[in-house]
Amino acid sequence: METRSTGDDNMKKYFLLTYGCQMNELDSEKMAGILEENGWDSAEALDNADLVILNTCCVRAKAEDKVKGKLGQLKKLKLANPRLLIGIGGCMMQQDNVGEKFLQKFPFIDFIFGPHTMDRLNEIVEKSCTGRVLELEADRFDVPRLPIKRESSFRAWVSIIKGCENFCAYCIVPYVRGKEVSRPPAEIVAEVEEQIESGVKEVVLLGQNVNAYGRDTGKVDFGRLLKKVNQVPGLERLRFMTSHPRDFSLKLVDAISEMPRVCEHLHLPIQAGSNRILKKMNRGYTREDYLRLVEHIRNKIPGASITTDIIVGFPGETDEDFALTMDVVEKARFTSAFTFLYSPREGTPAANYSEQVPGEVKRERLNYLMKRQNQISLDYNQVLMGTVTEIMVEGPSKKDSEFYMGRTRTNRPVVFSGKAHPGCLQQVKLTDCNAHTLYGELQED
Ligand code: SAM
Ligand code: SF4
């Protein structure tokens, strides 16, 4: 995440670095909101900041390694400028004793906090001017409303539920994000209305398992919440993530098919295609349940894009189990997939399973899966060549500022020549593609 500066040289500057998922991106927007409400401005670069905060992730070892890799650079910055404040927050600090260990091991860190103490960020920063601070809490049962400095002028992430109680055998999230707590529906709708008022066109409802919304309160469930948000005037596009296939009912698919603002994109992490592995993962559904859900979506929401997450090399995964994952990939025909090597997480049940799959086997399976999925993604994109589609413009393309980019309702990125205002809806004729990106020409109004 990059934060824009107001350009006032007298203000103290912060720089935030975010690792991990959209939930962390949203948390960083909240941290920026808190800091800016308290007189801070964002720095253009790490080197000219007075305060640096890393918002960490611990879902896979790779994310942790990136954070550890950054610490060397921070140490040098602190040596060059002893007045620089350095803070580490996020999920990684929330793991058993990791926060304490970091403070002991890295004397150049001024403060440590976690997802449950983020609302006290300003006080934590102030306290750290006079001594090192460790501020962590085990869990929270309230979801304080915090100021948010949104990165996008046209898209708003809106958190609807915190925590996760699914305890998938591989996953660290329930241990660091705590119990599920749903935000009151009126508060969510009010936030969406405020955002629309300020020019936002697209809303993404966020939660580790959005389908669990309302389970803790026994009141408005996810389907009813979605209906309420779908009715907010001025909203162009509504998305949500992440959905748990076990809790995604066929009735919810029917309801969504009648909500015109809900985009035709569903992210449904399958994780594995073998029932034996799904059971060991504690996912609560079978491959048959999953494929039934996919079929229902295809019938009720024509043209829907279904994307997924797949973990390769979960402990005990045999060649036969992996073949079943590939079989689901063939049958479900995902538009795209996030594919991961299983990464043992200390404190989760799967980390102690004896049958860990050798790294080489995991990598081989992952390469095979990625290659096949890329072909399927490319096939989908090729079928669209020559058609005209609606995109929401996001801004200049990251790879080449000569071009602009936007997204289809099915969440595919489209790169096009010509300028257009972020947040506006445009028609684009699709002319070229690869597995991950569509290219097109802007159509005149
Ligand atoms: N709550 C969401 C769900 O249930 O799908 C996603 C949460 S997690 C941040 C995102 C993805 O990371 C998961 O869907 C899973 O595929 C992957 N993941 C989680 N733990 C992992 C692990 N230990 N090793 C590899 N991938 C993992
Ligand atoms: Fe992790 Fe499973 Fe919860 Fe998703 S549903 S956050 S994978 S425990």
Side-chain angles (χ1 to χ4, degrees):
M1 170 179 153
E2 296 227 343
T3 36
R4 287 182 300 274
S5 163
T6 59
D8 183 343
D9 288 341
N10 296 319
M11 287 172 88
K12 287 238 178 199
K13 309 238 181 211
Y14 69 90
F15 193 86
L16 263 164
L17 268 165
T18 312
Y19 302 85
C21 65
Q22 281 87 353
M23 225 74 65
N24 262 16
E25 293 280 349
L26 177 56
D27 281 354
S28 287
E29 291 188 348
K30 290 178 182 170
M31 290 178 203
I34 296 172
L35 292 171
E36 297 205 5
E37 219 177 60
N38 288 283
W40 290 86
D41 185 19
S42 60
E44 297 290 351
L46 201 58
D47 307 11
N48 46 39
D50 305 289
L51 164 66
V52 175
I53 297 178
L54 303 193
N55 185 8
T56 63
C57 166
C58 57
V59 169
R60 283 173 293 277
K62 214 170 168 183
E64 288 191 344
D65 294 345
K66 280 190 198 161
V67 170
K68 288 177 189 154
K70 202 77 196 166
L71 292 175
Q73 190 186 357
L74 295 186
K75 186 178 173 184
K76 280 190 199 141
L77 284 175
K78 184 82 168 188
L79 279 174
N81 172 17
R83 291 164 68 93
L84 172 71
L85 288 177
I86 297 176
I88 320 275
C91 299
M92 195 174 159
M93 296 302 105
Q94 197 66 38
Q95 286 171 285
D96 260 355
N97 297 324
V98 170
E100 289 86 340
K101 279 188 205 148
F102 258 60
L103 215 54
Q104 268 171 19
K105 200 166 163 203
F106 305 109
F108 55 89
I109 293 175
D110 297 288
F111 61 93
I112 301 274
F113 63 111
H116 309 309
T117 50
M118 194 179 78
D119 57 320
R120 304 204 283 267
L121 180 60
N122 189 50
E123 294 84 274
I124 295 172
V125 173
E126 277 177 7
K127 265 203 268 172
S128 75
C129 296
T130 51
R132 302 175 79 212
V133 182
L134 176 74
E135 191 125 343
L136 293 167
E137 240 181 71
D139 196 3
R140 284 285 283 274
F141 297 93
D142 57 336
V143 189
R145 213 178 153 187
L146 299 173
I148 303 181
K149 187 200 176 193
R150 308 241 181 221
E151 274 304 297
S152 165
S153 57
F154 59 89
R155 179 189 299 127
W157 286 318
V158 174
S159 149
I160 62 166
I161 178 170
K162 84 146 199 79
C164 179
E165 293 171 28
N166 285 314
F167 292 95
C168 299
Y170 50 81
C171 186
I172 193 77
V173 171
Y175 306 89
V176 293
R177 288 274 174 177
K179 287 206 175 293
E180 288 165 358
V181 182
S182 304
R183 282 179 73 196
E187 195 179 295
I188 295 168
V189 172
E191 187 175 331
V192 171
E193 285 169 346
E194 272 166 36
Q195 289 308 306
I196 301 296
E197 188 90 345
S198 68
V200 160
K201 305 277 182 229
E202 176 175 299
V203 163
V204 188
L205 303 179
L206 284 186
Q208 289 298 348
N209 174 7
V210 288
N211 314 97
Y213 181 81
R215 205 150 64 180
D216 54 325
T217 59
K219 293 181 185 158
V220 173
D221 65 7
F222 181 60
R224 280 174 63 203
L225 176 75
L226 209 54
K227 202 166 166 193
K228 283 174 190 281
V229 177
N230 183 63
Q231 282 162 356
V232 174
L235 177 65
E236 295 281 358
R237 291 180 171 190
L238 178 54
R239 302 183 189 277
F240 52 86
M241 66 188 307
T242 297
S243 302
H244 194 301
R246 181 199 57 212
D247 300 331
F248 206 114
S249 67
L250 303 185
K251 231 171 91 193
L252 180 62
V253 177
D254 298 346
I256 287 172
S257 71
E258 285 164 17
M259 295 183 201
R261 291 176 175 128
V262 175
C263 290
E264 297 76 19
H265 168 222
L266 296 171
H267 186 62
L268 276 177
I270 184 162
Q271 314 296 4
S274 141
N275 286 342
R276 200 179 68 84
I277 296 294
L278 284 171
K279 192 152 186 239
K280 276 184 91 178
M281 284 179 162
N282 191 29
R283 288 293 285 177
Y285 53 84
T286 61
R287 54 186 273 121
E288 292 78 17
D289 297 333
Y290 187 91
L291 288 170
R292 203 172 306 121
L293 180 59
V294 166
E295 194 188 343
H296 196 66
I297 295 169
R298 300 250 183 258
N299 288 336
K300 289 282 175 164
I301 313 175
S305 161
I306 302 174
T307 58
T308 200
D309 293 350
I310 299 174
I311 298 176
V312 167
F314 183 80
E317 184 189 74
T318 61
D319 285 344
E320 290 73 34
D321 293 317
F322 178 64
L324 287 165
T325 294
M326 291 309 301
D327 183 60
V328 169
V329 167
E330 295 303 333
K331 292 196 164 106
R333 286 188 64 82
F334 302 111
T335 317
S336 64
F338 293 103
T339 52
F340 307 107
L341 291 175
Y342 167 68
S343 171
R345 305 284 68 211
E346 207 183 307
T348 62
N352 297 323
Y353 292 171
S354 54
E355 309 162 275
Q356 298 291 328
V357 177
E360 206 176 300
V361 176
K362 282 199 241 184
R363 279 188 292 277
E364 210 173 287
R365 288 181 189 161
L366 185 76
N367 287 340
Y368 186 82
L369 166 62
M370 282 168 58
K371 210 168 155 201
R372 180 63 192 126
Q373 180 54 52
N374 279 346
Q375 277 168 355
I376 297 173
S377 303
L378 182 63
D379 288 348
Y380 268 116
N381 285 349
Q382 279 172 339
V383 168
L384 297 173
M385 291 305 97
T387 61
V388 174
T389 188
E390 178 199 272
I391 58 156
M392 185 174 282
V393 178
E394 299 205 346
S397 155
K398 282 199 181 107
K399 282 200 184 133
D400 186 345
S401 57
E402 290 280 294
F403 292 88
Y404 265 55
M405 71 82 60
R407 237 164 244 281
T408 63
R409 283 178 62 92
T410 54
N411 210 32
R412 291 174 169 97
V414 181
V415 172
F416 59 95
S417 53
K419 282 192 177 172
H421 201 67
C424 72
L425 295 174
Q426 292 281 355
Q427 297 293 321
V428 168
K429 183 170 182 184
L430 301 172
T431 53
D432 201 1
C433 66
N434 57 36
H436 307 290
T437 312
L438 295 161
Y439 298 88
E441 290 161 6
L442 214 52
Q443 301 294 283
E444 297 303 326
D445 290 332

